[in-house]
Amino acid sequence: MEGLEEWNTTHYSGKEGSNELLFPKLEELRIEQCGKLRIKPCLPGESAKYLCMRGCDTMLSSWGERSSHCSTSSSSPLTELEVAESKVPMHQWRLLHHLPALRKLTITDCSDLTTSPEIIHSLSSLRALCFVLLSQAGLPRGLVELTSLQELTLYRCATISVVPEWLGELTSLKRFVIGRCQGIRSLPDSIQATKLEYLQIDDECPTLVKWCKSEKNKMKLAHIKKVVFNLGERSDD
């Protein structure tokens, strides 16, 4: 529905004399390839917890404009958001400023992950962050400020060759998953400073798996309770 420009999520209730949400019990919502879409006055569903937006740049970047959204958007109950195929720079993702309950963010195949202090601050409640098909050479530097982040996942990020040293500054990080990222050949020395409890690296990262299994580097991972290299091979040291 590439031509869809507006979705009014309320209707007038003659009985109550006020506007009511069209889908008050909606819990999950997926919107795909609606690049011009604006939703007003607010997201449908008072209890919606999950939103997936694929190719919906106008909605992502214009959220909160007085002309298109109501003030209730600032108290959205959403806890999980997936953004895919966005061409808008991440620092313009205004929707993030209105999701105070957000706990998990998945970013898939988005071309510009330039952040800003304001955007990073809006993610202060985030507990899990997942990057899929990342097209830039490294992770956004601003992520180091996400001190409440507990889980980080990199999947099919072929352009990434280095895990940054500032990984050790993510003081709450407990779970780190790397899948199908063949360019990553080693982990930073700062991994010894993390409080990781779980590390998973699949066997499609052969060079990285070999690095982890070397006697020299096993010591760097010794503090991690569980290290998983593939579904059939585990190390609980």
Side-chain angles (χ1 to χ4, degrees):
M1 302 182 69
E2 296 180 1
L4 185 63
E5 296 185 9
E6 183 177 302
W7 179 17
N8 192 319
T9 60
T10 63
H11 69 97
Y12 180 73
S13 173
K15 183 177 180 180
E16 299 294 334
S18 61
N19 288 336
E20 295 182 351
L21 289 171
L22 289 173
F23 308 104
K25 296 183 179 181
L26 186 71
E27 295 185 357
E28 296 187 5
L29 176 62
R30 292 178 178 269
I31 305 176
E32 299 191 5
Q33 306 306 331
C34 295
K36 301 177 182 179
L37 179 65
R38 282 180 165 85
I39 290 181
K40 69 176 192 178
C42 51
L43 285 173
E46 296 175 329
S47 58
K49 301 296 184 183
Y50 172 82
L51 171 62
C52 175
M53 304 167 57
R54 182 178 299 274
C56 299
D57 282 352
T58 297
M59 180 179 169
L60 182 64
S61 61
S62 68
W63 195 266
E65 293 179 351
R66 291 183 180 180
S67 60
S68 59
H69 300 288
C70 65
S71 60
T72 56
S73 64
S74 63
S75 58
S76 170
L78 279 177
T79 58
E80 184 174 351
L81 173 67
E82 181 174 353
V83 179
E85 299 177 14
S86 173
K87 295 180 175 61
V88 174
M90 188 175 178
H91 66 85
Q92 295 180 16
W93 294 6
R94 295 180 59 173
L95 175 61
L96 295 180
H97 295 302
H98 303 279
L99 304 177
L102 190 65
R103 294 294 181 269
K104 182 176 181 180
L105 174 62
T106 300
I107 299 175
T108 301
D109 196 16
C110 295
S111 59
D112 188 347
L113 297 184
T114 305
T115 62
S116 67
E118 293 77 17
I119 283 294
I120 295 299
H121 178 72
S122 70
L123 297 175
S124 60
S125 64
L126 206 62
R127 298 294 181 269
L129 178 59
C130 177
F131 291 103
V132 182
L133 293 171
L134 192 65
S135 59
Q136 59 189 52
L139 297 175
R141 181 65 175 84
L143 299 183
V144 70
E145 303 296 332
L146 299 180
T147 54
S148 295
L149 192 69
Q150 297 179 5
E151 180 176 341
L152 177 62
T153 299
L154 305 177
Y155 183 68
R156 295 180 66 189
C157 298
T159 57
I160 292 184
S161 59
V162 176
V163 176
E165 280 291 338
W166 51 256
L167 183 77
E169 299 180 45
L170 296 176
T171 55
S172 298
L173 194 66
K174 296 180 179 179
R175 183 182 177 95
F176 188 24
V177 177
I178 302 175
R180 299 182 68 178
C181 299
Q182 293 90 340
I184 300 177
R185 305 172 65 87
S186 64
L187 297 175
D189 288 341
S190 65
I191 198 166
Q192 299 173 86
T194 66
K195 298 179 181 178
L196 280 177
E197 297 178 359
Y198 182 90
L199 173 65
Q200 178 179 322
I201 303 170
D202 71 19
D203 51 10
E204 292 194 45
C205 306
T207 304
L208 180 56
V209 170
K210 184 178 180 180
W211 182 92
C212 292
K213 289 183 175 182
S214 72
E215 291 301 322
K216 176 182 177 181
N217 296 318
K218 279 183 179 180
M219 295 301 297
K220 298 178 181 180
L221 309 179
H223 66 292
I224 304 174
K225 293 181 180 179
K226 179 169 287 188
V227 179
V228 180
F229 293 121
N230 57 49
L231 294 179
E233 182 178 350
R234 295 173 180 265
S235 172
D236 296 322
D237 296 334

